[in-house]
Amino acid sequence: MSGQWGEGPARGDDAPGALTTDDGDGGVPQPRTGGRAEARRAAQGKGAPGKGGEAAPEASAAGGRAAARNSRKPKKNVKKIVAWSAAGVLVLIAGAGGAIYYKLNGNIKSFDADAIAADRPPEAQADADGNKPVNVLLIGSDSRGKNNSDLGGGEDGGARSDTTILLHVYADHKHAVGISIPRNAKVQIPPCKLPNGKWTKGSASELFNAAFATGETDDGNPACTQNTVEKLTGIRVDHTIVVDFQGFSAMTKAVNGVEICLPKPIYEGDINPKLRKKGDLVLPQGKQKVEGQKALDYVRLRHGIGDGSDIGRMKRQQAFLGSLASNIKGQGLNPTTLLPLADAATKSMVVDPGLSSADKLLSFGLSLKNIDMHDLKFVTVPWRFRTQDQDLDIIESDAKKLWDTIKADRTIDGQNATGEQPAEATASAAPSAPAATTTAPPAPDAGNSAVKVAVYNGTTTSGVDGKAAELLKGAKFNATKAGPAASTKHAKTVVEYGSGQKANADKVAELFPGATVEAGSSPGVIVVVGKDFAAANGGGAASATGSAAAGAPSAPAAPVPLPTSVTENTRSADDDICAGTSYGSGG
């Protein structure tokens, strides 16, 4: 399935040892033969089972363990690493008789694929190196079904999305960002499938968490939330995971608690305002480790801290998830950590059909092993309070900049995370801008007119993109101005090329002495003008003829700089756990 975990730099579908639930006899795969055990038998003069105790000639001649080690030299294809790691997890499971594997598989519940809307955003395309981003919708359900009412402090039927985060794992699988969507934001909800098989008409303006409540079942409607998020963002959701109160509580116990920090002590009356009294202390002020009910109290807390809005609660949820991720990362993304965590989570989990087996979930987790905690960010979709009620509106113009940044696989601080070398990194190491060159440009090539070149301004000097476009058109290239680049700090001009465009990019680069040529994720050729070109051409306003050629197709616009409502409220997973955990007055 396109967009599955493990695709991209860490795993290929044809990887040896790819996980499977069937070894041909209806059971789980058996551990592979060979390796240390066989080498040890050979060194001791023992044969393989069924050989009468005699050492196999090949093993004896090979020289025992050292030769066995040499015969197992790792392949250099890094795309196989996670597949082998995941295979190792399954071998461990098989060694336990398969009971753990079948237990996990039996825990997992998935929703119907036919409830996902047919009209969806396009899938993300792999870049020149085969790297592909993955978008995962994480939903915390407040369902009171089963035994959840004992944890949730209420008896309401149905389920709503208490927490919703769109997690974008970049194509390099070294960066990720979680985007919180307020549950009381007014959004458009598209038609959704009901439990009786019929579809709703949708709504032009409804509270976001009403999507999950569509159908009023204890399991909620994750497909409707997925449809709503895709409609809101224009981003295709590859996977959806729903965890309820029980699952969340069990997960925090499985990792031996999660560190939190509170600026004020929290009492029973803060957890449940209906008590109408202060009550006993539940969570003291300052740093502490919580699990189970207390962890749930923390992430659901609204009152007694800040202004009591969902904004502060989302900040605490982001802080908690960052702390949880740091905890898991610190313990190591390995079977010892992942198996208990997966067992706890899957008991109360609903997933999309693409994640409906234990091997997929485990390889899913292993694919995150290379994300540094500083590069795991959390933001909230730009919002504002409504004047007519207590709900929120999403600031569409600012939100679009965020969605465009995610689609372009740019990080919140403007890095290119497609798996290619970021242009900013190249620029930082670039020498000072060269003096203007008097070298004559190459003679125009008649074939250049078929080459489309989008020109972005990677500096704060206005008009240099127009001058670059004029230079390109003088050489007969089909050049268009495409606006500002995601970063305006490029010291050096960069020429990026899509699949099959390397030769054309080299021809374009001849017009920009000293430019860096590198693979990009967009089709065609892109020029990001740097300070070197600006210095050599005196800056200044673009000429009227620097506009896009008449009738020329426009190139995809690069994401513009993100608004301060996003950049100034970004949280990293390694941030101080005591910082940024409330909003508004009141602590």
Side-chain angles (χ1 to χ4, degrees):
M1 158 174 182
S2 179
Q4 280 187 357
W5 286 91
E7 291 183 354
R11 177 183 178 190
D13 292 339
D14 60 344
L19 298 181
T20 174
T21 59
D22 195 341
D23 65 355
D25 296 318
V28 296
Q30 298 300 312
R32 61 186 175 89
T33 59
R36 289 187 179 181
E38 193 165 296
R40 188 161 52 246
R41 287 196 298 271
Q44 294 172 353
K46 298 178 181 179
K51 298 293 184 181
E54 296 180 1
E58 295 82 2
S60 299
R65 183 179 301 178
R69 278 200 303 269
N70 292 334
S71 69
R72 297 199 311 275
K73 289 181 180 179
K75 296 182 179 180
K76 294 183 179 180
N77 187 349
V78 297
K79 293 185 179 182
K80 312 296 185 184
I81 293 175
V82 169
W84 278 114
S85 300
V89 173
L90 198 55
V91 167
L92 177 71
I93 296 172
I100 298 175
Y101 178 86
Y102 286 115
K103 181 179 181 182
L104 292 179
N105 252 11
N107 288 346
I108 301 170
K109 183 176 182 179
S110 64
F111 58 85
D112 293 336
D114 61 3
I116 299 173
D119 180 19
R120 306 182 64 191
E123 294 183 21
Q125 298 300 306
D127 65 13
D129 288 343
N131 303 302
K132 199 171 187 179
V134 183
N135 298 300
V136 186
L137 189 62
L138 307 174
I139 303 174
S141 167
D142 73 351
S143 170
R144 267 59 169 192
K146 294 175 283 190
N147 296 322
N148 285 301
S149 60
D150 296 335
L151 295 168
E155 299 179 354
D156 296 338
R160 283 152 296 279
S161 49
D162 219 35
T163 306
T164 305
I165 291 178
L166 178 62
L167 179 69
H168 177 78
V169 181
Y170 291 86
D172 66 0
H173 282 225
K174 295 180 180 179
H175 297 79
V177 59
I179 305 170
S180 295
I181 303 175
R183 63 176 188 166
N184 63 330
K186 289 285 191 176
V187 300
Q188 178 183 355
I189 297 181
C192 291
K193 188 177 180 181
L194 295 168
N196 62 8
K198 296 182 179 180
W199 286 72
T200 67
K201 294 181 179 180
S203 172
S205 180
E206 185 60 85
L207 291 181
F208 174 74
N209 71 349
F212 194 75
T214 299
E216 292 296 332
T217 68
D218 285 342
D219 288 332
N221 196 329
C224 187
T225 300
Q226 178 174 316
N227 295 342
T228 301
V229 169
E230 290 189 340
K231 187 73 173 179
L232 172 68
T233 65
I235 296 171
R236 190 181 185 96
V237 174
D238 299 300
H239 295 300
T240 293
I241 300 175
V242 183
V243 177
D244 63 16
F245 291 163
Q246 282 186 305
F248 177 86
S249 175
M251 287 171 64
T252 60
K253 293 178 180 178
V255 297
N256 302 313
V258 178
E259 187 179 47
I260 66 166
C261 185
L262 283 165
K264 295 178 64 176
I266 299 301
Y267 298 88
E268 287 179 317
D270 300 320
I271 302 296
N272 182 11
K274 292 182 180 179
L275 288 178
R276 301 187 182 282
K277 63 179 183 179
K278 184 174 182 179
D280 295 333
L281 178 68
V282 177
L283 296 167
Q285 181 178 348
K287 287 185 178 180
Q288 57 205 281
K289 214 169 193 182
V290 294
E291 63 179 54
Q293 179 68 62
K294 288 192 173 182
L296 192 60
D297 288 340
Y298 175 80
V299 297
R300 302 195 71 235
L301 176 67
R302 283 181 59 191
H303 304 284
I305 179 173
D307 63 359
S309 71
D310 272 335
I311 302 303
R313 179 158 77 165
M314 285 189 294
K315 285 179 173 289
R316 288 185 289 280
Q317 290 168 349
Q318 292 171 356
F320 186 92
L321 289 174
S323 184
L324 173 63
S326 296
N327 186 340
I328 296 171
K329 181 87 170 180
Q331 294 181 32
L333 282 176
N334 53 55
T336 303
T337 302
L338 289 180
L339 287 175
L341 186 62
D343 181 42
T346 55
K347 289 176 181 177
S348 303
M349 179 182 285
V350 178
V351 299
D352 69 281
L355 280 181
S356 57
S357 66
D359 57 331
K360 292 176 181 177
L361 276 172
L362 290 170
S363 61
F364 184 27
L366 286 167
S367 71
L368 305 179
K369 64 190 298 183
N370 292 324
I371 298 177
D372 185 87
M373 289 301 95
H374 184 70
D375 294 322
L376 172 57
K377 308 289 188 182
F378 294 95
V379 300
T380 301
V381 63
W383 59 273
R384 60 172 162 246
F385 285 117
R386 291 162 58 92
T387 57
Q388 62 270 47
D389 50 38
Q390 299 298 312
D391 300 322
L392 308 177
D393 278 327
I394 290 177
I395 305 174
E396 293 185 7
S397 59
D398 287 352
K400 184 180 185 303
K401 295 174 184 176
L402 176 59
W403 309 138
D404 287 346
T405 296
I406 298 302
K407 291 175 191 176
D409 224 33
R410 294 271 176 172
T411 63
I412 300 303
D413 55 1
Q415 295 183 57
N416 175 0
T418 60
E420 303 292 340
Q421 178 69 24
E424 290 76 10
T426 303
S428 64
S432 58
T437 177
T438 58
T439 303
D445 183 337
N448 290 353
S449 60
V451 180
K452 298 176 182 178
V453 185
V455 183
Y456 295 91
N457 191 348
T459 75
T460 55
T461 304
S462 63
V464 291
D465 51 342
K467 291 188 176 184
E470 281 297 292
L471 179 62
L472 287 160
K473 283 188 279 188
K476 304 303 182 184
F477 287 100
N478 185 351
T480 62
K481 282 176 49 179
S487 170
T488 56
K489 298 180 180 179
H490 285 262
K492 194 173 183 180
T493 298
V494 178
V495 180
E496 295 182 357
Y497 60 91
S499 178
Q501 295 292 316
K502 176 65 164 61
N504 289 330
D506 288 338
K507 290 166 65 177
V508 167
E510 291 179 16
L511 298 173
F512 302 90
T516 298
V517 180
E518 58 186 40
S521 59
S522 300
V525 179
I526 290 175
V527 173
V528 182
V529 179
K531 294 178 182 178
D532 56 347
F533 181 83
N537 289 272
S543 63
T545 55
S547 58
S554 59
V560 298
L562 287 169
T564 56
S565 59
V566 173
T567 57
E568 292 182 359
N569 293 285
T570 300
R571 183 182 192 92
S572 298
D574 64 349
D575 281 355
D576 180 2
I577 192 62
C578 294
T581 57
S582 66
Y583 180 82
S585 61

